[in-house]
Amino acid sequence: SSSSSFFLFILVLRILAMAEGYGGEVGAGCCSSREAHPAPPTNPHAVLLPYPLQGHLTPMLQLAKILAFRGFAITVVNNEFIHSRLISSVQPHWLSSIRLVAIPDGLGAAESRVHLYSNRERILATENQAGPFAELLEKFRHESHPVTCIISDSLLCWTQDVADKLGIPRVVLWTSSVVGFLPFFHMRQLVSRGYLPIKAKDSSSLDKEENYVTDIPGFPSNFKISDLPSYIQVEDLTDFFWQHGLRAMDMLPRAACLIFNSFEELEGRSIDATRRNIPVFAIGPLLASAYVGTPEKLGVSFWKEDDTCLGWLDMQSPSSVLYISFGSLAIQSTEKVEELALGIEASNLPFLWVIRPNTLKGKTSAFLPDGFLCRTAGRGRVISWAPQHSVLSHSSVGGFLTHC
């Protein structure tokens, strides 16, 4: 959109101002001699640190590609597991403008990153990276092109402590919708106004009109307590995930700015509600092809993509297909998958449904309702993983059902 292009331009100017004010020194006060650290070249150096999940990694890599196209020197830092997958899938010529670096995550070599990276373990594993990440930035201090800013995922709140310690501005990226950000942004207000902690886990009671969230800035008028993200629907405010989300939000005012993978024309009201204590830029959707003018891929897939689904989509009517995918790591119960399958069947809509090999202990069609694949064979397809960017941009896809 035109607003996204404008805000991207403003963001670039802001980062350039960081470079000018920074004077080429990483870690203010670490060295008294400016000559020991030559001033950076005209193009600023941004170090990007994604959260190690597919839906967080992809928009960060798209942002990396966009900034590299605009002359930035880019370093993308991942744990060793993600790094190895990225190296094997990235197009080689992009490595001339985007440097990929791996740091350890503190886990043992025999531990499975795919299965471990869920919930509490995933968060704790990312916090193991704080020391190696700080050491990497210190290493950059001795190079001829020091760091202008850190761009890190909003969930990696510990990067703010590292940035403050080294005197480097941090830019925060929220990768999903702004309306999904608002419940986290207003966590303290939800408590002070009595919506949280919840009084009962009975979902039917949470859907009653008296449990509508009516006085939180930016929330839709029909927003219910049951619509809050599961990490926020807590009965105990000492809950691990609640405390992690609260810490991430409390650190936001210390950041240089907050950027959203959204745009004003789509979520203008919600975006306006976030403009408090920190500059906000909505620069989405983060699709590098829209800025760079090429469909070339820069990304990593946690699973082998089934490209044959694109030929099937070519045979469907425009805007007719419901695409269903619940991310790279979420585990679902048999009951939920069966209930969803019955709903899909009853809808009579054409559908493309991604069911990963490890969605439920390595099973795929075995836990779908009996006869489901036969009854829907003429209008639906179930695959293990999809080339999501290509699917979502396909003319036959009219809807997307996902987890967040």
Side-chain angles (χ1 to χ4, degrees):
S1 70
S2 58
S3 68
S4 296
S5 297
F6 171 75
F7 282 119
L8 177 66
F9 173 71
I10 297 299
L11 175 64
V12 169
L13 290 181
R14 187 175 185 88
I15 296 177
L16 288 173
M18 292 177 191
E20 182 178 352
Y22 195 49
E25 294 186 10
V26 175
C30 292
C31 180
S32 60
S33 173
R34 182 177 295 270
E35 288 73 23
H37 307 286
T42 303
N43 52 331
H45 179 197
V47 174
L48 280 61
L49 187 64
Y51 194 71
L53 284 178
Q54 184 86 67
H56 293 253
L57 180 62
T58 298
M60 185 70 83
L61 292 174
Q62 294 291 328
L63 177 60
K65 186 175 180 181
I66 293 166
L67 293 177
F69 179 75
R70 298 193 179 283
F72 282 65
I74 298 294
T75 300
V76 178
V77 182
N78 287 290
N79 65 46
E80 292 157 339
F81 171 72
I82 301 296
H83 177 79
S84 63
R85 294 198 170 200
L86 185 55
I87 285 291
S88 65
S89 64
V90 70
Q91 296 185 358
H93 70 273
W94 278 107
L95 298 180
S96 62
S97 57
I98 297 176
R99 176 167 52 176
L100 304 178
V101 178
I103 57 176
D105 57 15
L107 301 176
E111 294 185 77
S112 170
R113 271 60 177 175
V114 171
H115 297 287
L116 179 65
Y117 274 170
S118 60
N119 304 327
R120 182 190 300 260
E121 289 97 343
R122 179 172 60 242
I123 292 171
L124 294 175
T126 62
E127 292 183 352
N128 291 336
Q129 296 177 295
F133 185 60
E135 292 173 4
L136 178 67
L137 296 178
E138 286 281 14
K139 175 185 173 183
F140 289 156
R141 180 167 67 92
H142 300 288
E143 296 184 356
S144 59
H145 197 179
V147 179
T148 304
C149 71
I150 298 166
I151 303 178
S152 64
D153 192 285
S154 55
L155 297 182
L156 300 176
C157 50
W158 54 263
T159 58
Q160 189 64 58
D161 290 330
V162 174
D164 291 347
K165 180 179 179 181
L166 298 177
I168 306 173
R170 177 192 176 214
V171 175
V172 180
L173 172 64
W174 179 267
T175 57
S176 57
S177 69
V178 182
V179 74
F181 170 80
L182 285 174
F184 293 92
F185 188 64
H186 292 298
M187 288 174 76
R188 293 193 180 278
Q189 289 90 328
L190 287 167
V191 173
S192 65
R193 298 181 187 182
Y195 295 110
L196 295 172
I198 61 174
K199 306 299 187 295
K201 279 289 187 181
D202 180 4
S203 60
S204 61
S205 67
L206 297 180
D207 285 338
K208 293 180 179 178
E209 188 170 346
E210 59 264 28
N211 286 316
Y212 280 25
V213 181
T214 58
D215 55 353
I216 302 294
F219 275 37
S221 58
N222 60 345
F223 198 94
K224 303 181 292 291
I225 294 178
S226 60
D227 293 326
L228 293 170
S230 59
Y231 285 171
I232 290 182
Q233 286 188 45
V234 296
E235 297 176 86
D236 181 1
L237 297 185
T238 65
D239 177 84
F240 176 84
F241 302 108
W242 170 273
Q243 288 295 321
H244 180 263
L246 192 64
R247 180 185 172 207
M249 294 300 104
D250 285 347
M251 286 191 173
L252 275 180
R254 290 160 55 185
C257 61
L258 171 64
I259 53 180
F260 287 120
N261 185 17
S262 186
F263 52 100
E264 295 277 345
E265 292 84 347
L266 180 66
E267 297 191 280
R269 181 170 174 268
S270 296
I271 293 168
D272 286 341
T274 68
R275 292 194 165 102
R276 187 186 69 195
N277 300 330
I278 184 173
V280 171
F281 304 99
I283 62 172
L286 286 172
L287 299 173
S289 57
Y291 293 96
V292 180
T294 172
E296 292 178 287
K297 178 181 177 181
L298 176 64
V300 59
S301 178
F302 284 13
W303 305 97
K304 181 176 174 56
E305 297 174 345
D306 184 350
D307 293 324
T308 63
C309 68
L310 299 177
W312 180 83
L313 287 173
D314 289 339
M315 297 184 291
Q316 309 307 311
S317 300
S319 302
S320 66
V321 175
L322 175 64
Y323 172 55
I324 308 159
S325 177
F326 296 107
S328 60
L329 296 175
I331 302 298
Q332 300 179 50
S333 68
T334 300
E335 293 75 18
K336 286 184 178 180
V337 173
E338 289 180 345
E339 190 71 19
L340 179 60
L342 293 174
I344 293 170
E345 183 177 354
S347 74
N348 291 319
L349 290 173
F351 66 90
L352 176 64
W353 188 2
V354 172
I355 301 180
R356 297 186 331 270
N358 71 334
T359 296
L360 188 68
K361 296 181 180 180
K363 300 178 182 179
T364 52
S365 61
F367 63 93
L368 291 170
D370 290 342
F372 171 81
L373 293 177
C374 292
R375 294 192 299 271
T376 60
R379 62 178 174 87
R381 186 162 181 180
V382 177
I383 61 175
S384 60
W385 197 243
Q388 184 155 288
H389 185 184
S390 299
V391 169
L392 290 175
S393 59
H394 199 284
S395 61
S396 69
V397 174
F400 182 24
L401 175 60
T402 187
H403 61 305
C404 68

